């Protein structure tokens, strides 16, 4: 029996269920008489569909139905929506061009993996076999996959009605003031970099099970998601064109999301329609090859940036111009990610008088790009921290010193000095000092000299990241007490994808109600239970849910005080709840007369007019939080082979008040690995014809445990002022800070070779060629 609350390093309550094989993921869910769907994908990057012959496929063993784009159109099915397109305007004020993404391609395919038909059969194998019998005629069209090349003269146009591949031309900041700063500067540092494309590769592939009940004209979708309510709303409104109350979305366990599982994909409404068409539940589960060409991908920017500095190394202006690849279609939040998501983040943690950021988003014949862990903030942090490190070298300043001279000081907070970010709390110099001490920076040159004697290059890289977590949303929670079983049940509008939400919510409830962990049951996503939910993304879960749970707890206790007052024959005003003291009882103030929480629940259950003993909570968060921290990376390179190792990685983070140090450590470790994964080897490569060259784990490098040292992770808890708990989000921070620290370390190691820039990913071959002088650093 364990009682634990906020701030304690409690072990995850969900782990025993998961490691013993009792997790319940989408593919684990089956319904009686279910059929199986196979999605037929385009092998062409850009082509006109001139004909589809389905007769042989329809006659194949076990086949129940074959659905084409023409069938979907005849059935009145809609589209996959991109609501983010309505949030943006071009810099001249005109609307941006919006793509139309049908559930099944009708007359044209625009990337390898576009859905061209759906086959429903008795078994998944029969559906896959029948796909081989489809005869699809394509007329190939010219394609473009290169990000910057998409707006080059003569590039093939993907959306002819748009006239070019430019999706939008957006800006933020003061271009004229930045130009003034550049002209007045004592020194200007410029950089051109590529933020390489990533395949998300969640451990659990996407899957969906659709069930249509004709007797009540109602749909149920079981799928892995990062929030059931938004998925329900978008599918109902845009894809099926039905009232939202006719669709229920259920998400149980999810094996990794990372932003990618936030979105509606064509498969989800298609299994629902297929269920209605066939009169049977229909299941679809992706294999890994399918995931590579259908899951939204991440990053993919080409950026030119500059920082203007005075003679003392103080920033005068920051200028950033980015070409961002959206892929073939606007994904659900795709247009938002390179523009509004990181708006203002290119100034980092520094006092900056002027900033201008221009973003040109482009279409290419590639998989659509959307949010990937950090969603725009890692890209922005990478730019400013690469600039700061290069500026330090060019001005002959230490990398920590140039940052100290420009940090927003604690005395300036809360800050309101745009374009610098509106920090409400933080002590950036303290975090940097602590990180340098833990990383033993003073001993680095001794280690570098020792490495050189063994034919090794040693480099040290800094990155001071900041990220802005989500706000401006409302979340909900429900707490219900079962008096008969002695269990407190909780539902929230967030969805766990492996972060440990069940443990965190248990800690919040235990602290609020004084109930032991074993008596708390957290339930996963169900759109029918709550009126809405903000979903998991933007590192907002803890402060959103803590607010909603607090409100639900208040309402539950208020209801309980009335019941307890009647039972204890006292005035309601004299009834107090002692949960904060670890006693789940209602009591008459100043006496030992009490009644247990579960006894109150039993009383409520026994009275028809009271019914379920529950509280429904709601919470809105207006202000952002700003997690931040110093990352220091040490890299060793073998000059004979180009093979390198991350020998040390130190992170000192400020996440405000920490709810559970063990959960936070897990999030930081995972985030650092994903950030280093991109920097060290992950890279989605398309050829000139739009074919994904790295289309499987045979060719796509993934980080492994042996690629990393023990991470030295510690915290300075400087409470946020924007929420009652004082917490700052932690889920994406590691991914934001790690890439620049690693790349800066590699460049530092390559100083003897005159290397000033190198792009992600850094491979041993790339380093070997640099050391041997066979190629330039840019190759």
């Amino acid at each position: 029996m364990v009682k634990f609350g906020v701030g304690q390093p409690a072990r995850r309550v969900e782990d025993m269920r998961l490691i013993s094989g009792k997790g319940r993921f989408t593919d684990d869910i089956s319904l009686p008489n279910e059929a199986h769907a196979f999605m037929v994908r385009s092998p062409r990057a850009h082509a006109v569909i001139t004909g589809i012959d389905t007769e042989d496929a329809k006659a194949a063993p076990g086949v129940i139905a074959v659905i084409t784009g023409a069938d979907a159109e005849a059935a009145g099915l809609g589209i996959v929506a991109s609501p983010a397109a309505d949030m943006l305007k071009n810099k001249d004020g005109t609307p941006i061009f919006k793509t139309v993404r049908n559930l099944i391609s009708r007359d044209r395919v625009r990337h390898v993996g576009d859905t061209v038909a759906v086959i429903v059969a008795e078994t998944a194998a029969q559906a896959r076999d029948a796909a081989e019998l489809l005869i699809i005629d394509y007329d190939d069209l010219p394609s473009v996959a290169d990000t910057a090349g998409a707006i080059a003269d003569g590039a093939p146009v993907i959306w002819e009605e748009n006239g070019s591949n430019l999706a939008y031309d957006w800006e933020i900041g003061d271009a004229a003031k930045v130009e003034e700063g550049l002209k007045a500067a004592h020194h200007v540092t410029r950089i051109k970099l590529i933020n390489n494309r990533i395949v998300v590769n969640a451990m659990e592939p996407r899957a969906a099970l659709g069930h249509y009940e004709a007797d009540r004209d109602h749909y149920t979708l079981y799928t892995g998601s990062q929030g059931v309510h938004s998925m329900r709303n978008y599918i109902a409104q845009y894809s099926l064109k039905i009232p939202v109350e006719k669709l229920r979305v259920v998400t149980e366990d999810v094996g990794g999301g990372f932003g990618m599982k936030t979105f509606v994909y064509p498969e989800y409404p298609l299994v629902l329609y297929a269920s209605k068409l066939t009169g049977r539940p229909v299941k679809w589960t992706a294999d890994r090859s399918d995931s590579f060409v259908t899951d939204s991908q991440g990053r993919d920017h080409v950026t030119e940036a500059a920082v203007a500095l005075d003679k003392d190394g103080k920033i005068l202006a920051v200028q950033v111009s980015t070409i961002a690849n959206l892929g073939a279609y606007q994904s659900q939040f795709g247009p938002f990610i390179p523009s509004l998501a990181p708006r203002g983040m290119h100034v980092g943690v520094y006092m900056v008088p002027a900033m201008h950021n221009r973003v040109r988003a482009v279409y290419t014949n590639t998989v659509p790009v959307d949010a990937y862990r950090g969603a725009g903030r890692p890209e922005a942090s990478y730019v400013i921290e690469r600039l700061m490190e290069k500026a330090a070298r060019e001005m002959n300043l230490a990398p920590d010193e140039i940052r100290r001279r420009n940090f927003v000081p604690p005395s300036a907070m809360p800050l309101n000095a745009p374009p610098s970010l509106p920090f409400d709390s933080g002590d950036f110099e303290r975090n940097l000092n602590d990180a340098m001490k833990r990383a033993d920076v003073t001993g680095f040159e001794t280690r570098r000299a020792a490495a050189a004697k063994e034919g090794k290059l040693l480099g040290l890289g800094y990155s001071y990241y900041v990220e802005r977590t989500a706000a401006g949303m409302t979340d909900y929670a429900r707490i219900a007490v079962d008096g008969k079983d002695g269990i407190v049940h909780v539902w929230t509008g967030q969805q766990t994808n492996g972060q440990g939400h069940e443990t965190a919510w248990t800690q919040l409830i235990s602290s609020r109600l004084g109930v032991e962990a074993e008596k708390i049951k957290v339930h996963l996503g169900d759109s029918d239970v709550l009126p809405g939910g903000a979903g998991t993304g933007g590192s907002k879960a803890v402060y959103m849910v803590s607010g909603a749970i607090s409100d639900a707890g208040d309402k539950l206790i208020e209801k309980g005080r009335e019941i307890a007052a009647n039972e204890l024959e006292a005035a309601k005003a004299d009834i107090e709840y002692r949960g904060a003291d670890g006693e789940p009882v209602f009591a008459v103030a100043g006496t030992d007369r009490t009644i247990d929480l579960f006894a109150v629940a039993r009383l409520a259950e026994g009275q028809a007019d009271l019914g379920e003993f529950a509280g429904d909570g709601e919470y809105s968060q207006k202000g952002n939080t700003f997690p931040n921290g110093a990352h220091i990376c040490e890299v060793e390179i073998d000059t004979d082979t180009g093979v390198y190792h991350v020998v040390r990685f130190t992170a000192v983070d400020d996440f405000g008040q920490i709810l559970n140090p063990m959960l936070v450590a897990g999030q930081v470790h995972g985030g650092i690995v994903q950030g280093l994964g991109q920097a060290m080897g992950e890279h989605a490569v398309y050829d000139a014809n739009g074919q994904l060259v790295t289309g499987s784990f045979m060719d796509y490098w993934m980080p492994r445990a042996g690629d990393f040292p023990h991470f030295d992770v510690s915290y300075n808890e400087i409470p946020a002022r924007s929420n009652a708990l004082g917490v700052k989000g932690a889920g994406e921070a590691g991914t934001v800070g790690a890439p620049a620290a690693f790349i800066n370390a590699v460049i530092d190691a390559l100083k003897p070779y005159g290397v000033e820039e190198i792009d992600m990913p850094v491979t041993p071959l790339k380093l070997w060629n640099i050391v041997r002088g066979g190629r330039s650093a840019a190759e």
Side-chain angles (χ1 to χ4, degrees):
M1 303 289 285
V2 178
K3 191 176 292 185
F4 60 95
V6 170
Q8 298 186 31
R11 291 185 177 275
R12 295 183 7 147
V13 300
E14 56 266 63
D15 281 355
M16 185 54 67
R17 172 172 59 82
L18 294 172
I19 65 176
S20 62
K22 296 177 183 177
R24 186 171 162 87
F25 300 86
T26 303
D27 194 55
D28 295 322
I29 303 170
S30 293
L31 296 174
N33 198 35
E34 73 182 14
H36 297 265
F38 179 78
M39 305 291 159
V40 183
R41 312 296 192 184
S42 168
R44 316 296 178 90
H46 197 197
V48 174
I49 301 173
T50 59
I52 300 181
D53 186 339
T54 62
E55 292 307 310
D56 288 347
K58 288 179 177 178
V63 170
I64 303 167
V66 177
I67 308 167
T68 66
D71 297 326
E73 182 177 17
L77 296 182
I79 61 171
V80 178
S82 176
D86 297 323
M87 303 178 187
L88 292 167
K89 291 188 181 296
N90 290 301
K91 63 181 184 177
D92 63 4
T94 58
I96 74 171
F97 175 74
K98 294 177 65 173
T99 62
V100 176
R101 188 179 185 186
N102 295 311
L103 303 184
I104 305 176
S105 297
R106 298 174 186 173
D107 53 9
R108 183 176 293 205
V109 293
R110 291 182 169 86
H111 72 89
V112 173
D114 243 350
T115 306
V116 293
V118 182
I119 296 180
V120 182
E122 296 291 344
T123 69
Q126 288 174 325
R128 182 184 292 271
D129 289 345
E132 299 295 328
L133 301 176
L134 277 179
I135 301 173
I136 307 175
D137 295 322
Y138 297 98
D139 279 351
D140 285 329
L141 296 169
S143 60
V144 60
D146 179 62
T147 301
I151 51 176
D153 291 341
V157 176
I158 298 169
W159 293 90
E160 294 172 352
E161 54 269 52
N162 188 39
S164 78
N165 292 323
L166 184 66
Y168 61 77
D169 189 345
W170 176 92
E171 67 177 358
I172 189 172
D174 191 330
K177 192 173 180 181
V178 167
E179 287 296 335
E180 291 174 7
L182 291 169
K183 291 176 182 177
H186 171 76
H187 179 80
V188 176
T189 291
R190 297 184 184 276
I191 198 168
K192 181 175 181 179
L193 54 85
I194 293 173
N195 205 299
N196 46 313
R197 182 183 281 235
I198 298 298
V199 178
V200 177
N201 281 318
M203 185 175 290
E204 178 202 13
R206 290 189 300 112
L209 172 60
H211 183 208
Y212 176 72
E213 298 170 80
D215 57 341
R216 62 188 189 111
D217 188 25
H218 186 271
Y219 300 83
T220 301
L221 174 68
Y222 302 89
T223 191
S225 78
Q226 292 180 227
V228 292
H229 294 92
S230 64
M231 188 160 286
R232 174 199 64 185
N233 296 345
Y234 291 136
I235 291 175
Q237 181 178 353
Y238 296 104
S239 302
L240 297 180
K241 301 179 182 178
I242 59 174
V244 293
E245 61 268 19
K246 289 188 174 291
L247 173 62
R248 177 191 180 202
V249 177
V250 177
T251 295
E252 298 198 23
D253 288 310
V254 180
F258 314 118
M260 179 268 291
K261 288 182 183 169
T262 301
F263 317 119
V264 173
Y265 293 85
E267 296 87 2
Y268 305 162
L270 285 173
V271 296
L272 292 167
Y273 170 68
S275 176
K276 182 176 182 178
L277 179 69
T278 63
R280 298 170 60 174
V282 175
K283 179 187 282 188
W284 165 81
T285 301
D287 60 24
R288 189 61 64 181
S289 296
D290 206 39
S291 297
F292 267 89
V293 294
T294 63
D295 294 353
S296 67
Q297 297 176 355
R299 314 299 189 229
D300 204 340
H301 293 182
V302 176
T303 295
E304 294 185 22
V307 59
L309 304 115
D310 68 13
K311 61 182 177 59
D312 297 318
K314 299 289 288 292
I315 297 173
L316 300 175
V318 174
Q319 183 183 67
V320 182
S321 178
T322 294
I323 302 173
N325 197 338
L326 298 184
Y329 304 95
Q330 291 168 354
S331 183
Q332 190 164 314
F333 292 113
F336 178 86
I337 301 307
S339 54
L340 291 171
R343 63 193 181 281
M345 300 297 294
H346 293 91
V347 300
V349 290
Y350 308 113
M351 293 295 297
V352 178
M355 183 275 295
H356 181 253
N357 176 208
R358 181 189 185 192
V359 179
R360 286 171 289 171
V362 299
Y363 299 114
T364 61
N365 295 113
T366 61
V367 175
V369 176
D370 212 312
Y372 173 68
R373 195 171 190 172
R377 287 100 73 198
E379 296 92 314
S381 183
Y382 185 66
V383 171
I384 187 63
E385 289 305 298
R386 286 284 307 277
L387 277 171
M388 294 300 282
E389 202 90 347
K390 187 177 183 183
R393 292 194 300 272
E394 292 177 349
M395 295 193 72
N396 199 28
L397 290 171
D400 62 301
E401 180 59 28
I402 196 170
R403 290 175 169 88
R404 291 179 205 280
R405 295 184 185 187
N406 289 283
F407 278 150
V408 175
S411 60
M413 301 179 196
L415 186 69
N416 182 21
S420 295
L421 294 167
F423 298 112
D424 65 343
S425 70
D427 191 337
F428 310 141
E429 188 165 5
R430 174 186 171 189
N431 296 333
L432 180 58
N433 290 341
D434 289 353
M436 291 178 67
K437 183 177 180 180
R438 297 179 73 96
D440 187 21
V441 170
T442 57
F444 172 72
E445 290 302 333
T446 301
R447 296 194 296 275
R448 196 203 296 261
K453 291 179 180 179
E454 298 179 4
K456 307 288 179 65
L457 301 170
L458 203 64
L460 192 71
Y462 292 71
S463 172
Y464 200 107
Y465 79 90
V466 65
E467 80 132 328
R468 178 181 50 225
T469 62
M473 302 178 184
T474 299
D475 217 335
Y476 300 85
R478 179 173 176 78
I479 302 172
V481 182
D482 186 329
K484 186 179 299 182
D485 294 335
I487 297 294
V488 176
H489 299 273
V490 58
W491 296 261
T492 77
Q494 299 285 323
Q495 175 61 48
T496 184
N497 302 148
Q499 303 95 323
H501 286 175
E502 289 175 64
T503 303
W505 304 171
T506 299
Q507 288 184 266
L508 290 169
I509 293 290
S510 183
S511 289
R512 186 75 184 90
L513 298 181
V515 175
E516 295 172 339
E518 290 82 357
K519 295 182 178 180
I520 299 169
K521 171 64 176 174
V522 176
H523 298 272
L524 303 175
D526 187 335
S527 64
D528 276 4
V529 175
L530 299 173
T536 297
S539 300
K540 64 183 183 297
V542 168
Y543 56 79
M544 295 296 291
V545 168
S546 66
I549 282 178
S550 179
D551 186 44
D554 288 346
K555 291 173 179 174
L556 179 82
I557 290 169
E558 185 66 15
K559 186 182 292 186
R561 287 176 65 229
E562 187 167 346
I563 298 170
N566 290 334
E567 185 67 15
L568 297 173
E569 298 180 340
K572 182 180 176 182
D574 293 333
I575 299 296
E576 61 185 15
Y577 187 71
R578 295 178 177 171
D581 300 322
E583 296 182 76
V585 298
F586 294 90
V588 179
T591 76
D592 59 358
R593 296 169 58 206
T594 65
I595 183 170
D596 179 80
L597 174 71
F598 297 102
V600 169
R602 288 191 292 273
L603 289 171
E605 293 161 2
Q607 301 179 38
D609 59 327
L610 294 176
E612 185 182 26
F613 185 36
D616 293 293
E618 179 178 343
Y619 177 75
S620 296
Q621 173 79 16
K622 295 181 180 179
N624 304 104
T625 75
F626 294 92
N628 63 89
H631 285 198
I632 300 178
C633 181
E634 194 168 316
V635 174
E636 180 186 80
I637 302 171
D638 187 317
T639 56
D640 290 331
T641 64
V643 172
Y644 62 85
H645 296 96
V646 178
V647 293
R648 292 184 180 212
F649 198 100
T650 305
V652 176
D653 296 297
D654 167 17
F655 298 130
Q657 178 73 35
I658 291 179
L659 179 64
N660 183 327
M662 291 182 69
L663 293 183
V664 170
Q667 288 297 289
V668 174
H669 289 185
I672 291 172
V673 167
Q674 283 189 270
L676 292 179
Q678 177 184 11
M680 294 167 64
E682 290 194 58
H683 193 192
V685 179
Y686 289 84
D687 68 15
N689 297 315
Q691 294 290 330
L692 181 60
V693 177
T694 52
S696 76
F697 289 143
M698 292 290 289
D699 301 294
Y700 187 91
W701 183 89
M702 286 286 283
R704 291 163 173 80
D707 296 315
F708 307 104
H710 169 76
F711 297 134
D712 183 347
V713 175
S714 60
Y715 319 105
N716 286 321
E717 298 184 52
I718 303 171
R721 303 179 188 179
S722 60
N723 59 83
L725 274 184
V727 301
K728 302 172 185 177
E732 296 163 289
T735 315
V736 180
F742 171 80
I743 293 295
N744 287 336
V746 170
I747 293 172
D748 183 56
L750 294 172
K751 275 197 302 188
Y753 299 89
V755 172
E756 289 294 324
E757 297 183 23
I758 191 169
D759 276 321
M760 303 184 289
V762 173
T763 63
L765 178 60
K766 183 182 287 189
L767 294 178
W768 187 85
N769 281 325
I770 291 171
V771 172
R772 293 300 172 190
R775 294 182 184 176
S776 69
E779 292 179 332

